């Protein structure tokens, strides 16, 4: 028998036998007719054809994920074809041309773990930094860069795309996310996902949903009404999903209104798949599955990271459940079809990753990271032109924050290991969610390089008296203050740890020309603020952070970041002055009531008339800008605001025009919402006309009963501002007719 004929007989047998419960075929021979490999067909059709060719056991394999590292505590070893020290692995179906899934964390780059197998990667600055750029191109470029590294290392799934809303400024994972506003966060993360997937690598959207604190994350139950959820946390996820079109969504650890997110039919089947039309697959977070039948029927498509869960829920128990009809065969097929759909749609099948790591241009990637960092650093305060630093300064003191060695990174699963190794390996904790990582990009060296004839002296800040003495003897003092945050824990409060507030107060008492550079996971309080001359929020600035900071301090780059989250004046201003469940007690179950509803961040502050330390949207520049000519038009129900931005100062710079909208009569969850934004770059003296189109959902109130967004007829004030509390803002009033939009924001009548 000729070979080709033999193969086609096998494939005919495959076609006859497969797709039903219990069907088995050999794993070795490839069928001649593999219509799902025809790239001319649509991804849905290809997925349907491939599912029809799969055996029951092949289907079960595809919905079961492994952890990609050995786990001593569970006596488990990673599957042989997985990549060492990786987040996850799922067996594909090689006989049908379906590749394995190799998964890696996360949002700032290709994460790794300690040890000889650590994979060097380029770290972007923190997610909050990228959100602070208010620049979708920067977010896209960062995504494209880390997606390229993922592919180069042989991964076809990057578990990036974190967009949990910052309801809780003490949340240890805020640095992985994009702040407190659903529009800004959704747009930024959507752009990042698009960038990642431009490499034919699937990106995830996570953590679905309302996983807004780490304390008790696996046991807490969030209570929130549907309308508020749709207008806050879910809206951020919805926008990121629309803009980014991720192949996968990761359900979270916590419970929402009583049900675990990974077995929450309302969230998964109703909101995500039905209302938003999500066609990809839902994977669980690592250890977030609690059942077989409820989870599968509630919409979970793939169990991840075994042995993280208590049991093999999507292993033999799922087989048994399908054989007994407790989970319909059609549901298993749907799970598999969704995974395959995403693999086809995002090029994972047609463009398989290379078996061996590819060369990475780390220099070029560092430049991408640096640009992101510099675009997102926020100049919070700058009195008497303290910054940029003057070349005339002769004696510069650099104090604290390991600034002689490098810049801080956030901890947990998203941690990227740098090529040069940890610059501060002695710091604790050394194990998960550590190590406390300091990337070897020294601000001190970068500063020294820019002032070859000045004396630049470093003091580590451990001895306050010595630091003060150095400060007294210097023309200018740069204090670097750090706050290490990470996955699995929250901050007890918003204060800088390790008595750094005392250090800064002591130093500024010795020399008023003190500039504070913050490397923090999120907002912190600043008791010394009135005394210091300048504050630069540098977040976690990524692989090239030292250079990035120095470039901004010296004015090579004009800062243009704006806060993606409110900096409270104290914890007492928060909806929950004390963090629920803190300190964590293992296995304790508790409710977190999001009774503030959709009034998150600045919305809460506006509603309660509170004055924050720094408002949402705030960010200074080395130049001055002016807004004018704000005009609004409504055509076909679409609101558009046009305006002029001018650079009224002496140096080139970028301004973020923020459009806020407030109803004059109707009551919303808060007095105003961010409705649009635009970052513009301007030479000194130049002006530009710009405009933003407003997503109707930001003018509406969600109606849960009809699943529509309803805009009430009436007058609305539009304010163009450079922060949520900008006193130089300009405004106009626009009249809107009543309108109803469907659940995805499309006009219905
Ligand atoms: C995190 C996820 C991560 C996963 C895999 C979990 O602990 O919550 O964000 O993708 O681990 O490492």
């Amino acid at each position: 028998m000729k070979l080709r004929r033999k193969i086609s007989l096998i494939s005919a047998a495959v076609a006859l036998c497969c797709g039903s419960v219990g069907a088995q075929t050999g794993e070795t021979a490839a069928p001649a007719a593999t219509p799902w490999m025809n790239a001319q067909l649509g991804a849905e059709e290809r997925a349907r054809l491939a599912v029809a060719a799969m055996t029951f056991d092949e289907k079960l394999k595809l919905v079961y994920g492994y952890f990609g590292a050995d786990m001593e505590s569970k006596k488990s070893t990673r599957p042989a074809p997985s990549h060492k020290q990786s987040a996850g692995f799922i067996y594909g179906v090689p006989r049908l041309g379906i590749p394995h899934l190799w998964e890696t964390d996360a949002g700032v780059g290709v994460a790794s773990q300690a040890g000889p197998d650590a994979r060097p990667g380029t770290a972007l600055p923190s997610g909050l930094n990228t959100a602070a750029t208010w620049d979708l191109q920067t977010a896209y470029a960062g995504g494209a860069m880390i997606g390229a590294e993922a592919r180069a290392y042989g991964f076809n799934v990057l578990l990036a795309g974190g967009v949990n809303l910052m309801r809780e400024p003490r949340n240890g994972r805020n640095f992985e996310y994009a702040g407190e506003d659903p529009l800004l966060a959704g747009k930024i993360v959507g752009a990042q996902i698009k960038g990642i997937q431009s490499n034919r690598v699937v990106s995830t959207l996570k953590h679905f949903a309302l996983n807004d604190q780490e304390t008790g994350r696996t046991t807490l139950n969030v209570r929130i009404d549907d309308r508020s959820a749709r207008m806050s946390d879910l809206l951020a996820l919805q926008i990121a999903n629309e803009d980014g079109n991720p192949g996968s969504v990761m359900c979270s650890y916590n419970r929402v209104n009583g049900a675990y997110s990974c077995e929450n039919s309302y969230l998964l089947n109703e909101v995500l798949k039905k209302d938003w039309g999500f066609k990809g697959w839902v994977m669980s977070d690592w250890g977030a599955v609690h059942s077989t039948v409820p989870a599968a029927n509630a919409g979970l498509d793939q169990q991840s990271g075994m042995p993280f869960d208590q049991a093999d829920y999507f292993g033999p128990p799922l087989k048994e459940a399908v054989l007994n009809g407790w989970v319909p065969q059609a549901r298993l097929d749907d799970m598999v079809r969704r995974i395959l759909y995403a693999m086809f749609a995002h090029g994972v099948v047609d463009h398989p990753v290379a078996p061996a790591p590819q060369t990475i241009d780390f220099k070029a990637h560092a430049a991408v990271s640096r640009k992101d960092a510099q675009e997102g650093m926020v100049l919070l305060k700058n009195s008497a032109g303290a910054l940029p630093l003057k070349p005339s300064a002769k004696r510069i003191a650099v104090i604290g924050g390991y600034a002689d060695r490098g810049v801080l990174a956030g901890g947990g699963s998203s941690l990227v290991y740098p090529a040069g190794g940890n610059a501060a390996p002695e710091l604790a904790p050394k194990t998960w969610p550590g190590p406390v990582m300091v990337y070897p990009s020294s601000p001190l060296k970068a500063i020294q390089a820019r002032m070859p004839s000045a004396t630049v002296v470093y003091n580590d800040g451990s001895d306050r008296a010595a630091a003060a003495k150095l400060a007294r003897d210097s023309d200018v003092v740069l204090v670097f203050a750090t706050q290490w945050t990470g996955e699995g824990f929250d901050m007890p409060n918003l204060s800088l740890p390790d008595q750094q507030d005392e250090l800064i107060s002591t130093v500024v008492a010795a020399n008023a020309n003190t500039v504070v550079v913050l490397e923090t996971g999120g907002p912190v309080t600043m008791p010394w603020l009135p005394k210091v001359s300048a504050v630069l929020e540098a977040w976690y600035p990524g692989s090239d952070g030292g250079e990035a900071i120095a470039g901004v301090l010296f004015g090579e780059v004009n800062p243009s970041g704006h806060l993606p989250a409110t900096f409270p004046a104290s914890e007492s201003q928060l909806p929950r002055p004390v963090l629920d469940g803190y300190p964590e007690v293992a296995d304790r179950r508790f409710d977190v009531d999001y009774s503030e509803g959709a009034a998150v961040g600045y919305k809460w502050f506006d509603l309660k008339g509170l004055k924050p330390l720094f408002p949402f949207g705030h960010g200074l520049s080395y130049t001055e800008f002016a807004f004018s000519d704000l005009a609004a038009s409504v055509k076909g129900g679409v609101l558009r605001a046009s305006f002029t931005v001018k650079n009224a100062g002496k140096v080139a710079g970028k301004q973020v025009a923020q459009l806020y909208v407030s109803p004059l009569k109707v009551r919303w969850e808060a007095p105003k919402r961010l409705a649009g934004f635009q970052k513009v770059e301007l030479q000194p003296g130049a002006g530009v006309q710009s405009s933003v189109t407003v997503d109707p959902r930001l003018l509406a109130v969600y109606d849960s009963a009809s699943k529509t967004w309803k805009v009430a007829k009436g007058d609305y004030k539009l304010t163009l501002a450079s922060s949520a509390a900008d006193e130089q803002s300009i405004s106009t009033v626009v009249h809107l007719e009543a309108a109803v939009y469907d659940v995805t924001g499309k006009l219905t009548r």
Side-chain angles (χ1 to χ4, degrees), residues 109 129 590 649:
N129 181 104
F590 57 97

Side-chain angles (χ1 to χ4, degrees), residues 383 386 389 474-478 508 510-515 531-534:
S383 52
L389 293 174
S474 305
D475 301 326
V476 52
V477 186
L478 303 170
V508 76
N511 186 337
N513 194 11
T514 291
V515 173
K531 299 196 188 107
V532 301
S533 58

Side-chain angles (χ1 to χ4, degrees), residues 209-223 253-261 490 580-581 584 587-594:
L210 291 135
N211 180 181
D212 299 338
Q213 69 174 59
E214 289 298 280
T215 306
R217 68 176 175 171
T218 59
T219 55
L220 68 78
N221 175 42
V222 165
R223 295 208 303 206
Y253 288 120
N254 53 297
R255 290 172 289 149
V256 177
N257 294 328
Y260 281 110
S261 295
D490 296 319
D580 281 320
E584 184 161 305
D587 297 330
R588 197 179 125 213
R589 267 137 219 283
F590 57 97
D591 291 334
V592 180
D593 275 307
Y594 286 159

